Amino acid sequence: MKGWALAGSVGPVGAFIAAGRRSRDLWWGSTWASECTLAAASRLAEGQPGIDVTLILPTEERMKELSASPRSDRYSKRISNRLLARVSAGSADEIRGLAEASALAAQRHLERRIRDAVDKTGEGTSRKARAIEFLLDKSALKAQLDAILDGDFVETYFAWTPWPKDEAHPKDDETPVQRAHRLLDALKSARLFDAPRWSEPGRRRSDLDPGRDSVFKPTPDPPAGSRRGPSPEARLHRRRLGIGADEGLDAVALGRRLALFGEGEPQLGALPFPPLSRVTFDPWLEAAGRPETRRWLDATKAVLDEASHRGDETFHLWCSPARDPERPIERSIPGHGRFRYDASFLMEGGLAALERELDRARGADEDEIERAQQDLRRLSNPVRSLHERLGAPPPYFALVMMDGDGVGNRLASLTKADELVGLAERLYAFADEAETIVSENGHGCAFFVGGDELAAYLPLDRALGTLLELAKTFSTHLGDDGLTLSAGVAIGHLKADLRATRAAAHDALDKAKARRREALEKGDAASDEGWLEIRELPRSGEARRCTGPIPTICRDLREWQALLLEDRLSLRTPSILHELVLRFSTEDGDGGDLGLDLARGRIRSQWSRSTKEPVSERLDERLTSASSWEALFRLAHEIAIAGRIAKVHALRTGARGGKGVAR
Amino acid sequence: MTTTSTWWVEPRDPLVFGSGARSPALAPRGGSWLPSQPTMAGAVRSALIPQGLRVGRDEALDLLRIGIAGPLLAYRHEDGDPEIWVPMPADLSYVEGDGDGEGRLLRGSLLAPRPGEGVLGVGPEAPPLLLHVPAKHKGRKAESPDLAFWPLGEAVRWALRSDEPMAWTPPKESKRPLRREHRVHVKIERGPYTAEPEALFSTPGVRFARGFGLLVEVRDGRHAANATAGIPASGRLLTVGGEGRTSVLTVLARTSVPPFGDFEEAYRERARAIEAAGHRPGLRLQLLTAGCFGTPTEPGDWRPPWPQELQGKLLAAATHRFEPVSGWDLQNRRPRAVRRLVPPGAVYVLGPFDSADAVVELCRAHWMKSIAPREPMDRDRFLAAPANDGYGLVLPSPYALPHEALEALQEN
């Protein structure tokens, strides 16, 4: 028998995760992507008569761990989409057969997951079952599920190359892993795609995947000139399933949306993760748990608990409960019980908007709507009282994407199987700790942690501390391998399109890694750290951004945050800097030394006038070292971003807050 | 009788193109910069409907006989001839220079699986050779360039060069021909006059820099009885894409596509150099507009309905991810089925061919022409033949096929 290196990847990760409008889309998308990789890896590990397989990525240890644990535990542990194995076989053709079986296992897994989610939601005579019956075109769903089995969605690529007998001294200048990855990369760009396996004229497109049809029944044309939109009945059924009034979903998108109802108690599913609104409002809820406002939070929670425990489906018309693993969050309200609910209704005008939405569905099931509206009316007093005392919850959150620097190269450079397995195990050790850091320390939700890749959403005020902790933990596990972890963060609005926020975080990560590479090439010591780019996406105006080594950016932002909260720095500073940049900088970014001196002088004198103290040491250092308008512009952005974070921090801690930062 | 004309379309506002998703849509990252083929063909056909004509089934089918080549991005200074800009090819990557220094463009190379090696992809069987696009250069990461287009002259220069990295610096953001814009919309609810829940959305727009516009060759092959509208007058407004954004139409006196003869000498020189270096001559086709190569008869079957002389010659390909397109069938009043398009910039390597001269003749035959099927028109779905919608326009060039790669092919 001869040896081969077999490299593979399971995707498309983008389509699984990027096409997400709600946190549940992201969460089940990444869960299913990981499960499909696991299914492919399991099939590989089984081998075939005459073929022995030693898995390297994921490691056999990891596979055993994931296969042994119940599903709820597995949710917090995921694997990346990369596969790597050492295979002993008689011929290369035998490997092709094994790779085909592995690809099919991934397709079958996804098909089964979608079918289970839809079937369980549609079981019996519940309201959700009626909603499925009303909305779903079963023939369309079947056709798309068949197409998945035919290779229309899950993209599995494999490449294999002989593994030299003397693994310490390969004959080629490439290691077998490098060679297999080179073939794999080239294969991915040779896509000879054909038409979708199933698409029909007359069907609307899926809103989450424009390359596929919606699996909903076509709705009759509205009367000419009508702007009414869907009928009350359709609206009600859609609300029951967590589908927007005007959304069209393909099979994969529908499966992700319904997975919630397909687990545990049928049709009464609870989210197995803290929803985005719950995480975003965590500082506000912590503030609401203080003695002076606790009674209103208790009253709010009592209505939610009662509606949730009633055991009917009405609650899902306006809210979703969440269950484990949201345990760290319950501790975020000291001395207070759990708040394990989707918190969107707490937004300014949130209750009124929900009532109006339910009004539109009147005529379909009056009893159910009346019951839901009664709940909403009972919430109105306590929520109003909380808003009067605390203001509406700040709607901004941090979407974090992290990725190890040079991990692929490091893996490819290793020639011995045990070295590769060792590195993979260190990556998994980091991933396990990372999930806990995000939930315990960050009060956030890591919806994807696979080896050196991480995607999570966090309350704004906890993001920096969590990033530092993650970078430190990565260094503990992989510092000796010379690896670092870089991050991209998008500060987005809860109601903005989640796809755009995710894309901004992804871009920010790419930029952070590129800047780190530049620093590395210049021999800059800062390249020893992972780098970070933060992009703030305000609802109006241009995005603000800052980039640098993680420790430096976090330290500076915290410094500006402290100065703002102490009222020693004001949000007028970035506005002055911005104004000066616009006035003096030229198209090539050079405003001359005189202009820069003038800008430095303005900021220093503004500081002295308002504080009667010398300028903060760090701010003075940054002003002095700023040798271009670009540097001053970045400083202005940093202070503005710190201002956004400081407001949330002040809310959580009860700090008074400086001018412009006060709630 | 077929009449031909060249249209210069200068957008007055950012243009909005559908992504295949229903509105409200969010532009996909890296989505189309130019209107899709059906969008442009539809705009041209609409402009040629005689005033007052009620378009019934027969008239609609006749309109599908109007064919376009393009749209191509072009730059026009005052009243001069437009200079064509084409998409950057998928078989190159870019590595940044030091600081403000010049960067480098790197060329993809053929990669032949060795004995004992193999690959398994998705969908149709991969071509026998692979095109590996460098992801690194001297330790630096190389990526697809941000800039989507460059002048035709640069593209030809790149296609005719040998394999060394080419010095290149992307233009600054402010000097780029196209820029994306997102406009945030709020759907206001009657009554409270506040935003409806989930009613905040954004639409993507593409802003054309001053002097840039779209160039379209129009062939009007309608039956004479219907073709009363003729060529529209210059200066009229044309609606291209969504949201009723307008462009100014100018009908040019002559075609703006440079003839193959302008480049023939350079092409011959390159083809001969390939032979002189001991390589077999091959053909490289770069798509300038999206490709629509029909539906396979069964899964895994991908035999593009290319012109006869190219059939069975495909050796390798480099393409980005597919772009879905659907559109609206006005006659049947329903959305069209999804088609998956090969994005502009895709590169196909074909061969081997008998001689350098044979390759040059193929380049002449396909110079800036469509390799998409010219027939048939789908009369039930009111779809023109792909070539008539402007799909599959190519920039051909000679390509060196190393003997080692072809030998490995034989061995496998």
Side-chain angles (χ1 to χ4, degrees):
Chain A
M1 295 230 287
K2 295 177 198 165
W4 273 269
L6 173 66
S9 74
V10 180
V13 174
F16 268 120
I17 302 174
R21 273 178 142 172
R22 306 189 62 177
S23 45
R24 65 186 70 176
D25 299 340
L26 293 180
W27 203 83
W28 266 289
S30 61
T31 301
W32 287 1
S34 171
E35 287 179 2
C36 284
T37 311
L38 189 63
S42 302
R43 182 63 194 86
L44 274 188
E46 274 177 36
Q48 271 177 199
I51 303 184
D52 289 335
V53 177
T54 307
L55 276 179
I56 296 168
L57 268 180
T59 59
E60 288 183 346
E61 198 61 32
R62 186 71 166 181
M63 298 276 297
K64 274 187 212 152
E65 203 181 340
L66 291 178
S67 311
S69 32
R71 179 170 273 172
S72 59
D73 278 359
R74 250 190 283 154
Y75 278 149
S76 57
K77 290 182 180 175
R78 299 198 172 87
I79 50 174
S80 81
N81 70 327
R82 284 183 282 197
L83 296 168
L84 186 61
R86 186 182 168 146
V87 181
S88 297
S91 73
D93 283 347
E94 289 177 359
I95 298 179
R96 178 176 294 276
L98 181 62
E100 281 170 352
S102 172
L104 189 61
Q107 291 160 7
R108 282 194 177 137
H109 183 85
L110 180 65
E111 187 263 350
R112 196 168 50 244
R113 282 296 249 147
I114 297 170
R115 194 154 32 82
D116 282 356
V118 177
D119 286 353
K120 284 192 181 157
T121 312
E123 267 172 15
T125 55
S126 66
R127 290 189 169 95
K128 289 195 177 64
R130 293 209 305 271
I132 290 278
E133 190 64 36
F134 180 88
L135 288 172
L136 185 66
D137 179 339
K138 288 183 179 158
S139 66
L141 178 73
K142 183 178 180 315
Q144 283 198 3
L145 292 179
D146 288 347
I148 288 171
L149 291 178
D150 207 14
D152 196 41
F153 185 85
V154 182
E155 293 179 6
T156 315
Y157 296 91
F158 284 104
W160 53 96
T161 188
W163 198 305
K165 279 188 184 141
D166 182 0
E167 55 184 30
H169 301 96
K171 278 186 284 182
D172 297 315
D173 50 356
E174 278 179 316
T175 67
V177 177
Q178 281 167 335
R179 173 75 184 171
H181 278 120
R182 200 144 79 92
L183 288 166
L184 197 64
D185 289 346
L187 176 67
K188 284 185 194 170
S189 72
R191 296 183 183 96
L192 297 186
F193 37 80
D194 42 36
R197 301 290 155 79
W198 186 80
S199 177
E200 279 184 347
R203 291 192 173 274
R204 63 175 283 188
R205 303 284 83 80
S206 166
D207 284 304
L208 295 193
D209 184 347
R212 287 181 175 80
D213 291 357
S214 162
V215 291
F216 295 151
K217 287 175 185 163
T219 47
D221 283 344
S226 163
R227 296 172 64 90
R228 278 183 307 153
S231 67
E233 197 180 6
R235 281 179 187 277
L236 190 62
H237 285 314
R238 282 169 173 271
R239 284 207 74 80
R240 283 174 177 145
L241 300 178
I243 298 165
D246 204 24
E247 262 185 324
L249 301 178
D250 59 287
V252 180
L254 177 69
R256 289 186 304 178
R257 210 49 81 75
L258 298 185
L260 159 68
F261 308 118
E263 306 205 351
E265 202 177 345
Q267 289 110 25
L268 292 173
L271 297 165
F273 60 93
L276 184 57
S277 59
R278 171 65 185 86
V279 167
T280 306
F281 297 164
D282 185 63
W284 189 88
L285 286 166
E286 188 169 333
R290 284 198 283 269
E292 58 272 26
T293 45
R294 184 181 295 173
R295 65 179 185 280
W296 291 300
L297 183 63
D298 284 342
T300 303
K301 214 169 67 67
V303 176
L304 293 164
D305 288 346
E306 191 192 312
S308 167
H309 293 147
R310 225 169 21 222
D312 63 19
E313 301 168 71
T314 309
F315 188 48
H316 283 121
L317 281 182
W318 59 276
C319 192
S320 302
R323 59 181 161 85
D324 281 340
E326 52 90 55
R327 55 201 184 277
I329 280 209
E330 77 196 58
R331 292 203 289 273
S332 75
I333 310 174
H336 192 275
R338 295 167 171 236
F339 192 97
R340 46 181 195 175
Y341 300 101
D342 169 11
S344 307
F345 69 90
L346 289 170
M347 286 193 85
E348 195 163 18
L351 286 173
L354 277 168
E355 280 215 50
R356 283 198 302 275
E357 271 296 288
L358 290 171
D359 266 339
R360 289 199 182 101
R362 278 201 178 275
D365 188 335
E366 292 287 345
D367 282 356
E368 191 187 8
I369 293 168
E370 185 51 40
R371 207 152 3 126
Q373 287 196 325
Q374 271 174 15
D375 290 336
L376 293 176
R377 284 194 286 272
R378 286 173 62 204
L379 281 171
S380 103
N381 272 341
V383 170
R384 193 174 53 234
S385 301
L386 287 168
H387 280 188
E388 278 168 8
R389 273 133 193 106
L390 298 170
Y396 285 88
F397 67 98
L399 189 66
V400 175
M401 310 208 71
M402 299 185 94
D403 187 34
D405 302 305
V407 175
N409 287 344
R410 177 79 182 130
L411 272 171
S413 69
L414 299 177
T415 52
K416 293 184 181 171
D418 57 344
E419 290 173 343
L420 287 160
V421 170
L423 178 56
E425 278 171 356
R426 291 195 288 284
L427 287 168
Y428 291 133
F430 161 72
D432 289 347
E433 268 191 61
E435 196 277 332
T436 312
I437 291 168
V438 170
S439 57
E440 298 273 346
N441 302 7
H443 293 191
C445 171
F447 57 89
F448 184 80
V449 193
D452 61 317
E453 293 168 46
L454 179 145
Y457 47 85
L458 290 148
L460 203 48
D461 61 329
R462 297 249 172 187
L464 295 180
T466 309
L467 287 175
L468 276 172
E469 186 69 20
L470 287 168
K472 201 171 123 197
T473 308
F474 191 83
S475 173
T476 306
H477 289 285
L478 293 136
D480 290 345
D481 292 280
L483 300 175
T484 54
L485 187 69
S486 287
V489 175
I491 298 176
H493 191 285
L494 187 58
K495 286 289 169 192
D497 195 309
L498 196 52
R499 291 170 293 178
T501 312
R502 199 209 65 87
H506 194 277
D507 274 347
L509 174 61
D510 283 350
K511 283 284 180 305
K513 290 174 85 76
R515 297 290 85 83
R516 185 189 159 275
R517 277 196 299 273
E518 280 170 18
L520 186 67
E521 281 155 17
K522 286 177 188 158
D524 189 335
S527 64
D528 294 342
E529 308 283 356
W531 278 48
L532 161 68
E533 175 158 313
I534 300 180
R535 286 193 196 173
E536 187 201 2
L537 310 169
R539 292 314 294 262
S540 59
E542 284 199 32
R544 302 182 188 107
R545 64 183 71 188
C546 56
T547 316
I550 293 179
T552 312
I553 288 281
C554 290
R555 185 193 61 199
D556 283 358
L557 283 174
R558 283 175 159 182
E559 168 89 10
W560 313 145
Q561 201 178 308
L563 293 173
L564 286 161
L565 288 169
E566 290 163 11
D567 219 1
R568 296 166 70 202
L569 183 64
S570 93
L571 287 176
R572 196 164 141 59
T573 305
S575 126
I576 292 171
L577 279 171
H578 203 177
E579 189 189 311
L580 289 166
V581 170
L582 289 180
R583 191 187 300 171
F584 290 107
S585 67
T586 54
E587 195 169 314
D588 59 6
D590 182 16
D593 291 343
L594 188 62
L596 289 173
D597 279 342
L598 182 71
R600 292 186 193 108
R602 271 293 298 278
I603 300 302
R604 287 183 176 123
S605 66
Q606 188 226 352
W607 175 287
S608 308
R609 267 204 312 276
S610 56
T611 65
K612 317 288 181 212
E613 289 174 19
V615 179
S616 119
E617 201 178 314
R618 181 62 185 154
L619 183 61
D620 196 48
E621 198 181 313
R622 287 289 299 272
L623 285 170
T624 308
S625 64
S627 56
S628 66
W629 287 106
E630 173 65 27
L632 284 182
F633 201 55
R634 277 204 307 269
L635 178 62
H637 278 197
E638 270 181 39
I639 296 171
I641 291 171
R644 172 87 68 196
I645 300 171
K647 275 186 192 176
V648 179
H649 178 78
L651 175 65
R652 190 192 289 276
T653 57
R656 192 180 60 83
K659 284 174 202 161
V661 179
R663 300 190 306 271
Chain B
M1 192 186 74
T2 301
T3 56
T4 56
S5 53
T6 301
W7 293 18
W8 170 244
V9 179
E10 210 167 354
R12 290 164 57 99
D13 297 308
L15 298 185
V16 175
F17 313 129
S19 64
R22 278 160 29 94
S23 181
L26 191 86
R29 206 159 152 252
S32 307
W33 285 99
L34 299 185
S36 69
Q37 305 311 129
T39 301
M40 194 69 232
V44 168
R45 288 170 190 146
S46 301
L48 288 171
I49 296 173
Q51 210 165 15
L53 176 72
R54 193 175 171 279
V55 179
R57 189 181 165 81
D58 291 341
E59 291 77 13
L61 287 172
D62 201 40
L63 280 170
L64 297 180
R65 294 180 200 284
I66 299 170
I68 64 165
L72 296 171
L73 181 69
Y75 174 75
R76 191 172 183 224
H77 180 68
E78 302 285 319
D79 289 335
D81 282 338
E83 177 195 35
I84 293 173
W85 283 48
V86 299
M88 295 191 83
D91 68 344
L92 63 70
S93 55
Y94 169 69
V95 61
E96 282 182 18
D98 292 322
D100 294 335
E102 266 186 337
R104 291 275 184 281
L105 289 178
L106 312 172
R107 183 184 302 277
S109 56
L110 287 180
L111 181 65
R114 299 171 187 154
E117 290 185 334
V119 293
L120 179 73
V122 286
E125 185 119 337
L129 298 176
L130 299 168
L131 238 175
H132 182 256
V133 183
K136 266 191 168 182
H137 180 64
K138 295 185 179 169
R140 289 188 154 208
K141 190 173 180 184
E143 293 169 304
S144 287
D146 281 346
L147 186 78
F149 294 85
W150 60 354
L152 176 64
E154 292 259 342
V156 169
R157 193 159 72 93
W158 169 256
L160 297 183
R161 277 174 59 98
S162 56
D163 289 346
E164 290 81 44
M166 182 169 105
W168 186 72
T169 307
K172 284 187 176 173
E173 189 75 29
S174 58
K175 307 278 183 202
R176 295 189 173 188
L178 303 170
R179 275 188 293 164
R180 282 198 200 284
E181 281 192 357
H182 279 272
R183 296 190 172 199
V184 176
H185 304 257
V186 183
K187 190 174 172 191
I188 300 292
E189 187 183 354
R190 285 182 190 177
Y193 293 100
T194 55
E196 281 189 17
E198 297 171 14
L200 276 164
F201 56 91
S202 67
T203 50
V206 175
R207 183 177 286 280
F208 286 62
R210 196 180 177 80
F212 281 91
L214 298 167
L215 198 64
V216 191
E217 299 278 338
V218 179
R219 294 181 312 276
D220 189 349
R222 284 177 294 174
H223 295 307
N226 290 331
T228 49
I231 297 169
S234 283
R236 68 168 279 184
L237 294 179
L238 187 71
T239 305
V240 181
E243 296 187 7
R245 304 292 175 86
T246 50
S247 303
V248 179
L249 169 67
T250 307
V251 179
L252 302 181
R254 58 175 185 269
T255 177
S256 293
V257 176
F260 180 66
D262 289 2
F263 301 94
E264 185 167 351
E265 198 44 50
Y267 268 62
R268 282 201 187 283
E269 207 173 295
R270 173 70 187 135
R272 284 180 195 138
I274 288 171
E275 273 190 332
H279 300 308
R280 292 286 303 277
L283 178 69
R284 174 182 178 274
L285 295 176
Q286 188 210 316
L287 288 185
L288 304 181
T289 58
C292 178
F293 297 131
T295 310
T297 50
E298 58 185 71
D301 174 30
W302 198 81
R303 280 169 291 176
W306 286 350
Q308 186 62 38
E309 64 275 21
L310 306 179
Q311 294 276 333
K313 291 283 189 185
L314 180 66
L315 286 178
T319 74
H320 295 303
R321 194 166 184 76
F322 66 79
E323 288 173 2
V325 65
S326 53
W328 182 256
D329 179 350
L330 263 175
Q331 288 301 310
N332 291 315
R333 296 174 54 80
R334 62 183 186 183
R336 297 187 189 281
V338 175
R339 287 185 287 174
R340 288 183 186 166
L341 306 181
V342 188
V347 168
Y348 298 104
V349 174
L350 299 94
F353 295 96
D354 294 338
S355 66
D357 286 347
V359 170
V360 174
E361 286 317 305
L362 282 171
C363 292
R364 183 201 306 283
H366 295 289
W367 173 254
M368 305 290 278
K369 289 195 180 132
S370 171
I371 55 165
R374 301 193 172 277
E375 294 292 339
M377 174 195 295
D378 186 336
R379 300 176 71 89
D380 295 331
R381 297 179 180 188
F382 292 88
L383 277 173
N388 244 24
D389 275 349
Y391 287 110
L393 217 61
V394 293
L395 174 67
S397 59
Y399 193 87
L401 300 174
H403 277 288
E404 312 86 75
L406 296 175
E407 277 162 17
L409 196 60
Q410 296 283 327
E411 285 175 34
N412 275 333

